[in-house]
């Protein structure tokens, strides 16, 4: 064998080793891609199920909110009414506060007592609504 034949044989063996290495790498890459593809399909299926369940839950919550909205509106209206009543009691108290005897004094005391009652009632309702949240 001549030196040219030996160098040709070395180059042929190197190319064969390179082809074998690339073939092994491609087989491993193909197996990894198949595994990733299966995992992505599984995740996509689970995500679809999750979206379906989320949509059902959202419809349920929206339906319940429609049911509960009138309760909150009524509570708000009641709060406004109580505030207006408090304002009326304050005005009566101011008018009757000038007199310190007789009916005026009794009316002022009653107005003060009613005002304290409604203030305590408003505070307890506010606390209850905060706890309900």
């Amino acid at each position: 064998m001549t030196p040219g034949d030996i160098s040709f044989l070395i180059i042929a063996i190197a190319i064969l080793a390179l082809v074998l290495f690339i073939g092994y790498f491609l087989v491993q890459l193909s197996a990894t891609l198949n595994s990733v593809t299966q995992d992505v399909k599984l995740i996509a299926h689970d995500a679809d199920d999750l979206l379906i369940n989320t949509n059902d839950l959202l419809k349920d919550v929206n339906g319940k909110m429609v049911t509960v909205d009138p309760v909150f509106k009524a509570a708000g209206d009641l709060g406004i009414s109580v505030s207006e009543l408090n304002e009326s009691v304050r005005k009566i108290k101011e008018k009757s506060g000038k007199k310190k005897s007789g009916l005026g004094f009794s009316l002022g005391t009653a107005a003060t007592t009613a005002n304290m009652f409604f203030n305590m009632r408003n505070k307890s309702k506010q606390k209850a609504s905060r706890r309900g949240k």
Side-chain angles (χ1 to χ4, degrees), residues 9-89:
L9 184 62
I10 292 173
I11 291 172
I13 292 172
I15 291 175
L16 178 65
L18 181 64
V19 167
L20 290 175
F21 175 74
I22 291 173
Y24 177 76
F25 175 75
L26 290 176
V27 168
Q28 292 297 322
L29 181 64
S30 175
T32 303
L33 286 177
N34 285 337
S35 174
V36 169
T37 302
Q38 290 174 353
D39 290 344
V40 167
K41 285 180 183 179
L42 180 65
I43 290 170
H45 179 68
D46 289 346
D48 287 342
D49 290 344
L50 181 64
L51 285 174
I52 290 169
N53 290 336
T54 303
N55 286 337
D56 291 342
L57 180 63
L58 186 61
K59 287 177 186 176
D60 185 43
V61 168
N62 285 336
K64 289 179 180 173
M65 285 299 297
V66 168
T67 304
V68 175
D69 277 344
V71 173
F72 287 114
K73 185 174 182 335
D77 292 344
L78 180 63
I80 291 171
S81 299
V82 169
S83 295
E84 290 172 355
L85 182 60
N86 280 338
E87 186 63 31
S88 298
V89 168

